[in-house]
Amino acid sequence: MTVQALRNDYHGDFKDSVDKFGGAQLVYIGWDKHQLFCSSRAFPLLPTMTFQELLDNVMPEAFSQHPEFGRVVWERAEWILDNQSFQPDHSKTLAELGIGHKSVLRLVTPNLTGYKGADV
Amino acid sequence: MSPTKLNLKDKYKLLTRDLDWEFSYEDRQEAFPYEEFEGIKITDWDKWEDPFRLTMDAYWKYQAEKEKKLYAIYDAFSQNNGHTNVTDARYVNAIKLFLTGVSPGEHAAHLGFAFTGRQMGGIGARVAAQMQSIDELRHIQTQIHAMSHYNKFFDGFDEFNHMHDRVWYLSVPKSFFEDARTAGPFEFMVAIGFSFEYVLTNLLFVPFMSGAAYNGDMATVTFGFSAQSDEARHMTLGLEIIKFLLEQHEDNVPIVQKWLDKWLWRGYRLLTLVAMMMDYMLPQKFMSWQEAWELYFEDAGGALFKDLERYGIKMPDYTETIKQEKEHLSHQAWWTFYQYTHAAAFHTWTPSSDEMDWLSEKYPNTFDKYYRPRWELAAEMEAKGERFYTTGLPQLCQTCQIPMMFTEVDDPSQVAYRESVYNDERFHFCSDPCKSIFDNEPEKYVHAWLPVHQILQGNCGGGGLDKVIEYYHLDNGAANLEFEGSPDAERWKQWKGVA
């Protein structure tokens, strides 16, 4: 049973399906072990955006407040997409790379250990 | 002929059990349409033991006397400018959190007990629930009055009711109570009557009232004393409902167990707000969150569950998780509010060096290692004139609606991510219990009003953050942002004659 309800046919429509974001899709982006940012954050992005555009425009908006941001070497960065290791071709679009609505994209930088090496 | 005075026993009977009647021409099932769909089996309502002996006329008389005294103290507090006697203006942010985050919950509880006070088939349970319903309504009223004096002198109080339906972190308590109120009557009673009002009450009510007492807030502490006799009644009702359900039929046991597993977790997640209030918001601290959890849950709750074992009820499996989280919870929560305080109706600040030492002492395993560096970085940024306010909007848990800020229990450097796919749509959770609550009843949570997603859909004022703040009725530059330099802080200095 998908809900304990008075009526067996009770149904709730998805409130956050992709059609409600004006052509964009939601992508959650986090930077592992950089807890200056308390959580991943939600960005409405066009599925036609390339990964390079995401690196150039979205990542600075999301993470440039961090003192280590300038030291990220994007060619060597590791990524986790929806809990799977992920090697994106920077020229491809989010849709082509399988970054879908409500995907979680995590940046991993093993050589950067955060403020004072404390994962902050 | 002069009226005869009833003896107490007859009066009690006539004004409680005797208010019920036999249905001669209506179908009883139609009169109580919510009583069966949850799967709970009631074989004999007469086995219900009234948790307290109170008739409605005595209730009115007693409460009226109590409140007359309460309001006399509020008046005295107000006339003596009681707000200037609190330990520090930072303290007032704790009661802003109370008025915006807790008081509307009293109103939600009022509505919920009114529902169960109508829908449970047994008259004894109905009368008890109706009295609690009125208690909860009185509590929100008396809380508003207790805090109305502060509203004249501090920012962030005046739009609490408007904010309750809109502001991102207030969706946490709001959705908690709506989850309970949209359940059937028995789940509501287990959720709010037992789990919340009996098991967790000492971790909500006591910390706020002790915080008030330690910080010179006479108005709030007097409210606390006044509500104590009501809370005692609520606890006995909570305990009676659980025992009654478990004794009525053995088939009720797994249902009640599932509800306990769900609601103790839901309640615990809600208490995240209390944890940060205790450890970070009180200028004069009385106990750490960890100590409170050990005393009131691990010790007292442990004994209670031991007692319930004879019915086949066991402590929820995830209490080990909570045990591990207790050294992290308050630090992660205050850090989140610190960086999102531009969208909050109270101020935040970095803990002072004395406060950090207190935190190190109370949390020897975690504070210096994981959390002190965060505050040092925050202080560094502040010194450069770049007080840290994060950009963007946080990913939220679909179940508890808290930003996904909680870390893995075995790795405090790594945020926990859980997800489920339901009808081809992804849903995200902060923890295993929040995921399993969703997986049990996905249809109940797929249409949750998640504030972040609503903002991004343009439903909260449209446009950027300034529009959202307007939509919240948040007095930008006064009610939000850093405490230091806020109008609250400046007024306080004036009153105290500090330059």
Side-chain angles (χ1 to χ4, degrees), chain B residues 38-41 245-257:
Chain B
E38 298 173 273
I40 287 289
K41 292 176 183 157
L245 292 180
L246 294 171
E247 280 168 9
Q248 280 291 303
H249 203 288
E250 60 184 4
D251 289 355
N252 293 346
V253 175
I255 301 175
V256 169
Q257 179 75 55

Side-chain angles (χ1 to χ4, degrees), chain B residues 268-431:
Chain B
Y268 161 70
R269 268 290 181 252
L270 186 57
L271 294 176
T272 301
L273 293 173
V274 181
M276 77 169 193
M277 185 279 293
M278 291 177 74
D279 287 345
Y280 283 89
M281 298 180 81
L282 297 178
Q284 183 68 45
K285 302 176 204 314
F286 67 96
M287 182 187 258
S288 71
W289 163 255
Q290 178 177 350
E291 289 166 334
W293 182 259
E294 287 166 357
L295 178 66
Y296 294 120
F297 190 84
E298 290 175 12
D299 298 351
L304 168 71
F305 273 89
K306 222 137 195 74
D307 208 34
L308 293 176
E309 260 172 25
R310 66 192 157 106
Y311 298 108
I313 289 292
K314 63 178 184 60
M315 190 72 127
D317 296 331
Y318 52 71
T319 41
E320 273 309 304
T321 302
I322 301 180
K323 214 176 216 174
Q324 282 165 299
E325 275 191 3
K326 70 190 173 188
E327 295 180 87
H328 299 277
L329 191 68
S330 64
H331 315 294
Q332 296 178 357
W334 187 243
W335 184 241
T336 298
F337 277 98
Y338 178 81
Q339 62 190 270
Y340 280 108
T341 194
H342 45 293
F346 58 90
H347 301 296
T348 57
W349 53 86
T350 46
S352 68
S353 58
D354 281 354
E355 285 171 325
M356 288 214 259
D357 290 345
W358 183 86
L359 290 163
S360 299
E361 187 200 318
K362 293 293 181 186
Y363 295 95
N365 300 324
T366 57
F367 185 73
D368 286 349
K369 191 168 174 199
Y370 301 108
Y371 302 105
R372 191 185 279 268
R374 298 189 189 187
W375 296 115
E376 287 170 350
L377 176 55
E380 253 177 48
M381 293 170 83
E382 208 170 329
K384 280 194 285 184
E386 294 166 5
R387 200 280 191 195
F388 180 49
Y389 298 109
T390 193
T391 55
L393 304 169
Q395 181 181 16
L396 304 179
C397 171
Q398 187 78 24
T399 303
C400 70
Q401 306 198 5
I402 298 176
M404 287 183 37
M405 61 176 202
F406 302 99
T407 51
E408 294 288 357
V409 284
D410 56 357
D411 182 3
S413 69
Q414 179 59 53
V415 166
Y417 293 93
R418 298 291 181 274
E419 85 169 54
S420 292
V421 174
Y422 177 69
N423 285 356
D424 298 325
E425 178 98 343
R426 285 190 191 90
F427 295 92
H428 299 275
F429 311 97
C430 67
S431 56

